[in-house]
Amino acid sequence: MAYIERAAEDAVVRISKMFPVLLVTGPRQVGKTTLLQKLSDEQKEEGIERKYVTLDDPDVRYLAKTDPALFLQRYEPPVLIDEIQYATELLPYIKMRVDRSKRKGDFWITGSQIFRLMENVSESLAGRVGIVNLLGLSDAEVYQTPSAPFTTDTEGLMQRMAVKKPLGLNQIYQRIFRGSMPELYADENIDGETYYRSYIDTYLQRDIRDLTQVADEMQFYNFMTIVAAHTSKPVVYEELANMAGISAPTAKKWLSILISSHIVALVPPYHNNVLKRVVKMPLLHFLDTGLAACLLKWGNAEALERGAMSGAFFESYVFSEIYKSYLNAGKEPPIFYYRDKDQKEIDLLIYQNGVLSPIEIKKAASPGKAAIKNFHVLEPAASAEAFGGLEALKVEIGTGSVICMANDLLPVDERNWYVPVWLI
C-alpha cells in the first residue's frame, strides 16, 4: 500500500529532538504507526536503529504489564512502542530510564485512546514528553500540497492560490462523504460504508468495552449517531440525553469519551469581559465527516449534498481542515466561536498574538454581505475605553473570512474576504 506523506512529519521530528519521549495520539487507523515507522526507517540513514514492538500482541502485553523492567531490558531504547494504553504500567519505568539517560527521542509511543492514557502520562512523564495529535488526512495530505496553519491573512491566502487546485461542489462533497481515513485514499477500491462499519464495530468492541465503563454498547452506538446529527451545533447535554434515553451526567461522560477518542471536538466559546451577553455552551464538530455520514446512513455524496444536513457537514468539514492544519504543525488550535443571547453567531474565531479574526462558513457560492453582518459584535473588545482605558486588555480585530464555494479569493469590503473552501 502506498505511503501518503503526512503533514505532521516535520512536527514529529522537531518534537522528538526536544523531548526524551514522543507520544503520538489520535483515533484508530489514522496512520500513527505507519508515520513513525516511516520516520524510523529514515533514522537508519543517521545510524539510529529503532526497535518496534506492539502491545497488541498478548504475550508482549503480558510482559509489559507484569514485569515492565524486564520488558525495557528486552526492548532497549531507542524504541517505538505501539498502543501504549494497553500497558500504562510501563510509564513510570520509562520515566526512570529517561531520567538516567537524558537522551532526546529515546522513546516513541503511540496511543489510540487517551481517556486513561493521558492521566497516566501527565503523572509519570510531566516535562519529559512531547505530544503530537494526529487525525485523519487533511486536504493538503490528500492532494499532496504544502500544509500550514490556516490564517485569514490575505497575503498568505494569495500565496496558497499558487499551489492549491480549485475544486467544485461535487468534488468537495465527494471529499466530505469519503472522510479522512488514510486507507480509503491509499486503496480507492475499498468501499467506504463497509470500512466505516468495521471501524465502528472495532471502536465499540475494543476501545469502548475494554477501556471504559460503558455497559451497553448499542446504547452508546445510538448516542454516537445522535451526536453525529448534532455536528456543528452548540452542546446541550439535556437535549442529547433526552434523545438517547440516558441521564444528562451520562451524556456528558459519553461525550467526553468521544472527545478523548478524537471522534469529536468541542469548540470553546470566545469569552471577553466586555462582551456581556456571550453564551457559554461549546460548539460540537464531528472530526471525520465520512464517519458521521456512515452513522447517519447517507448513501452517497450527491444525497448528502442535497440533504437537510448539507450545511452542517460543510461547516464541520471546514472546521476539521482548519483544526488539523494546526495539529499537523504541532500547535494547539487557537479556535473559538461566538454566540450571544441575541442569537448573533460567528462560526469560528482564530485568536492569536492579540488578534481576533472572525470566520463565517457558507455553502453558497455568493453569500453576499449578509454573511459578515455579525462581525461588528466584536468591536467593543477592540476599544481600550471598554476596559477602562487599559490598552493591554484590548484585542485587534483582524481580517475576516467568509469561507464558501466562491471560485476566487475576492474582497467583501476593505476588512473581509470571500475565501474559496478549497483554499483552506
Side-chain angles (χ1 to χ4, degrees):
M1 193 180 299
Y3 176 78
I4 299 172
E5 188 173 339
R6 302 307 300 264
E9 289 179 16
D10 289 344
V12 169
V13 171
R14 184 181 76 250
I15 291 171
S16 178
K17 291 177 179 177
M18 295 168 59
F19 295 91
V21 183
L22 167 76
L23 168 62
V24 178
T25 72
R28 286 195 169 278
Q29 300 176 29
V30 295
K32 300 182 296 296
T33 306
T34 304
L35 165 62
L36 291 182
Q37 286 181 324
K38 188 254 190 182
L39 295 177
S40 292
D41 289 342
E42 291 181 358
Q43 282 189 327
K44 290 179 182 177
E45 298 176 6
E46 304 169 16
I48 300 172
E49 292 286 341
R50 187 176 297 275
K51 302 175 186 70
Y52 169 76
V53 58
T54 176
L55 298 179
D56 261 337
D57 184 316
D59 293 331
V60 174
R61 187 190 311 179
Y62 180 79
L63 175 62
K65 291 178 75 70
T66 58
D67 198 338
L70 184 61
F71 176 93
L72 291 179
Q73 287 182 35
R74 169 64 183 84
Y75 300 102
E76 287 271 343
V79 62
L80 164 54
I81 304 173
D82 208 5
E83 305 290 7
I84 191 72
Q85 75 273 7
Y86 289 125
T88 54
E89 294 86 352
L90 283 171
L91 296 175
Y93 291 83
I94 291 175
K95 171 185 177 292
M96 289 188 286
R97 269 299 184 95
V98 300
D99 284 352
R100 285 199 303 268
S101 72
K102 302 192 184 303
R103 286 193 304 266
K104 308 298 185 187
D106 258 3
F107 290 89
W108 289 2
I109 58 180
T110 75
S112 300
Q113 301 301 331
I114 63 169
F115 26 82
R116 287 187 182 177
L117 175 60
M118 291 311 294
E119 182 179 351
N120 288 290
V121 166
S122 61
E123 288 176 0
S124 302
L125 298 175
R128 302 166 180 86
V129 60
I131 300 172
V132 175
N133 294 306
L134 188 71
L135 299 183
L137 297 179
S138 64
D139 277 1
E141 292 167 321
V142 170
Y143 303 116
Q144 291 295 288
T145 56
S147 177
F150 178 82
T151 74
T152 61
D153 173 62
T154 49
E155 186 176 333
L157 291 171
M158 290 285 191
Q159 293 173 358
R160 291 165 82 96
M161 291 284 290
V163 296
K164 289 283 190 174
K165 180 183 177 182
L167 299 172
L169 183 66
N170 292 338
Q171 291 169 299
I172 291 293
Y173 273 86
Q174 286 289 346
R175 171 85 174 91
I176 291 172
F177 180 74
R178 189 72 170 168
S180 299
M181 290 299 176
E183 199 168 342
L184 296 175
Y185 293 89
D187 184 353
E188 293 187 358
N189 295 317
I190 295 176
D191 176 68
E193 182 179 357
T194 304
Y195 176 89
Y196 278 115
R197 285 285 159 213
S198 173
Y199 184 90
I200 292 165
D201 288 344
T202 302
Y203 176 68
L204 291 173
Q205 291 171 13
R206 293 194 60 180
D207 298 331
I208 298 306
R209 185 174 63 194
D210 293 351
L211 298 174
T212 71
Q213 301 301 312
V214 175
D216 189 333
E217 291 172 24
M218 288 312 299
Q219 196 170 30
F220 188 84
Y221 170 79
N222 182 47
F223 178 76
M224 282 179 68
T225 304
I226 290 165
V227 170
H230 281 76
T231 193
S232 82
K233 293 183 179 179
V235 175
V236 181
Y237 289 108
E238 291 76 10
E239 183 179 333
L240 294 175
N242 290 338
M243 293 183 73
I246 56 179
S247 68
T250 299
K252 192 168 187 176
K253 176 188 172 186
W254 285 6
L255 188 61
S256 73
I257 291 172
L258 292 176
I259 295 164
S260 296
S261 307
H262 301 285
I263 300 294
V264 303
L266 293 189
V267 188
Y270 176 74
H271 178 69
N272 190 302
N273 288 337
V274 301
L275 305 176
K276 302 291 187 183
R277 298 178 58 78
V278 173
V279 172
K280 296 183 179 178
M281 293 180 294
L283 191 68
L284 182 154
H285 281 292
F286 234 77
L287 287 169
D288 190 317
T289 50
L291 177 58
C294 178
L295 285 165
L296 296 172
K297 297 180 170 57
W298 291 102
N300 54 63
E302 292 76 17
L304 178 60
E305 188 275 318
R306 295 193 303 267
M309 290 198 67
S310 176
F313 270 77
F314 188 79
E315 285 186 33
S316 288
Y317 162 70
V318 170
F319 166 78
S320 67
E321 286 298 310
I322 295 174
Y323 189 72
K324 283 183 279 193
S325 76
Y326 283 90
L327 293 183
N328 287 338
K331 297 183 177 183
E332 185 69 23
I335 303 174
F336 302 84
Y337 91 109
Y338 177 91
R339 189 183 193 195
D340 63 25
K341 295 185 172 92
D342 299 322
Q343 305 302 309
K344 291 185 173 68
E345 295 185 33
I346 300 173
D347 291 329
L348 295 177
L349 298 166
I350 295 179
Y351 181 53
Q352 53 185 346
N353 303 321
V355 179
L356 192 63
S357 303
I359 298 173
E360 194 67 18
I361 304 168
K362 298 292 182 186
K363 181 188 167 189
S366 303
K369 286 195 173 184
I372 62 170
K373 65 182 179 182
N374 292 331
F375 287 6
H376 74 277
V377 299
L378 303 174
E379 289 173 3
S383 169
E385 287 73 22
F387 297 97
L390 290 174
E391 287 279 339
L393 295 179
K394 74 173 188 177
V395 300
E396 179 184 341
I397 307 302
T399 303
S401 292
V402 180
I403 298 176
C404 59
M405 285 305 306
N407 293 320
D408 200 356
L409 181 65
L410 297 168
V412 182
D413 57 24
E414 66 276 4
R415 293 179 59 184
N416 304 287
W417 288 70
Y418 296 121
V419 178
V421 66
W422 46 264
L423 199 55
I424 61 174

